[in-house]
Amino acid sequence: MITALLIFTSTFVLVFALGFQSLNVNNGHYKAAFFTSFAIGLANLVLFKTVPQADWLDISAYLIAGPFAIVASMKAHDWWHK
């Protein structure tokens, strides 16, 4: 259960940061794009360490996190840059 939560969280952070990063790059927000890269790297490291031992619950957490994260990222980016 802890592994599934860790995978969900790191996947959420990764997809959120990737979405935020894409919007930053597309809109010319250089500083934000620079700092977002650290979140992407950290979330990737956590996933690289945890996913190789994944069971069905872990895989479900991985798949469920992405759709919620990308929508949250788009909303947060709109809010942050208003």
Side-chain angles (χ1 to χ4, degrees):
M1 183 69 172
I2 296 294
T3 304
L5 182 59
L6 185 59
I7 289 172
F8 179 89
T9 302
S10 59
T11 302
F12 188 94
V13 170
L14 177 62
V15 174
F16 184 97
L18 285 168
F20 210 86
Q21 176 82 321
S22 177
L23 292 166
N24 285 333
V25 169
N26 290 335
N27 291 295
H29 303 294
Y30 292 91
K31 288 180 188 175
F34 177 87
F35 288 108
T36 307
S37 296
F38 291 105
I40 293 168
L42 181 60
N44 264 323
L45 286 173
V46 172
L47 282 174
F48 292 154
K49 290 291 198 177
T50 54
V51 170
Q53 303 134 11
D55 61 16
W56 68 270
L57 181 61
D58 300 333
I59 293 166
S60 297
Y62 177 80
L63 294 174
I64 291 169
F68 289 104
I70 196 62
V71 172
S73 176
M74 293 168 72
K75 289 288 191 183
H77 191 272
D78 287 346
W79 175 80
W80 186 267
H81 289 287
K82 282 192 179 185

